[in-house]
Amino acid sequence: MGSLTHLEAYQRPLAREVHQLDSLGVRLADSNEGGVIVQNGAESSLVEEVKEKQFNDPLIAQLKEGIHKHKTTTFSVGMNDGTLRYQDCLCVPDIDGLRERIMAEAHTSRYSVHPSSTKMYHNLKEIYWWNNMKRDVADFVAKCPNYQQVKAEHQSPGGLA
């Protein structure tokens, strides 16, 4: 939905800039104080890839069929995109190393800076779900060279305390 209005010639560059911001996912809203709120949402490109790969996974196709036959109640199919979800989390198929790439992005992102397995699991479970996810995250973090180095620095040597 939108509205159509007449723009003076001097206002057209501003309208183009607002349109460019919209195409980048930036949203503008009025604030209660009379200003403008600028919202920018970022979504990992892996989310889109998960949605695409779901259509190639026979296990996910089987779960979707169970939903349609009312045999599965813990999973649901997203109304807008047809993706399989578990408690509103996107189900990640075990295809093309997708799970490992998700964990690598979550662990090495410049915003997260090598989180522990617990922190990383809690961050990921807000968006994604797969069987044995907690164990996979713990194994992934344990193999990280940076994590091993930091862990070794913070442990006291064995022997008498």
Side-chain angles (χ1 to χ4, degrees):
M1 296 207 26
S3 61
L4 183 61
T5 184
H6 173 74
L7 293 176
E8 297 292 329
Y10 71 91
Q11 294 173 316
R12 289 188 185 134
L14 177 62
R16 273 193 291 278
E17 290 176 14
V18 169
H19 182 70
Q20 286 174 334
L21 287 172
D22 183 59
S23 67
L24 294 172
V26 176
R27 301 291 176 253
L28 304 175
D30 292 327
S31 74
N32 293 337
E33 292 81 31
V36 175
I37 299 171
V38 179
Q39 298 174 320
N40 185 17
E43 184 176 85
S44 169
S45 61
L46 290 173
V47 170
E48 273 306 311
E49 190 172 347
V50 168
K51 290 176 181 180
E52 291 171 15
K53 300 273 184 187
Q54 277 194 0
F55 295 103
N56 301 330
D57 188 346
L59 178 61
I60 288 182
Q62 192 176 28
L63 286 169
K64 284 182 181 180
E65 186 66 29
I67 292 168
H68 294 302
K69 292 181 178 178
H70 303 291
K71 292 181 180 178
T72 304
T73 58
T74 55
F75 292 91
S76 62
V77 176
M79 294 297 223
N80 297 334
D81 53 11
T83 57
L84 184 69
R85 296 183 175 274
Y86 175 78
Q87 297 177 351
D88 291 330
C89 294
L90 199 55
C91 294
V92 180
D94 195 10
I95 296 178
D96 300 332
L98 190 56
R99 294 175 180 177
E100 288 76 18
R101 291 198 334 254
I102 289 170
M103 290 185 288
E105 180 182 270
H107 193 64
T108 59
S109 164
R110 73 172 83 183
Y111 303 110
S112 63
V113 192
H114 298 278
S116 68
S117 61
T118 303
K119 171 73 172 144
M120 188 170 139
Y121 171 71
H122 285 290
N123 290 343
L124 287 176
K125 78 175 188 171
E126 292 178 10
I127 302 168
Y128 303 109
W129 177 88
W130 65 82
N131 272 334
N132 302 314
M133 183 172 154
K134 190 171 189 174
R135 186 195 67 210
D136 291 349
V137 169
D139 291 346
F140 183 88
V141 171
K143 293 176 187 173
C144 172
N146 288 355
Y147 176 76
Q148 290 173 355
Q149 187 176 14
V150 168
K151 182 179 175 185
E153 289 173 3
H154 288 84
Q155 288 183 340
S156 58
L160 297 174

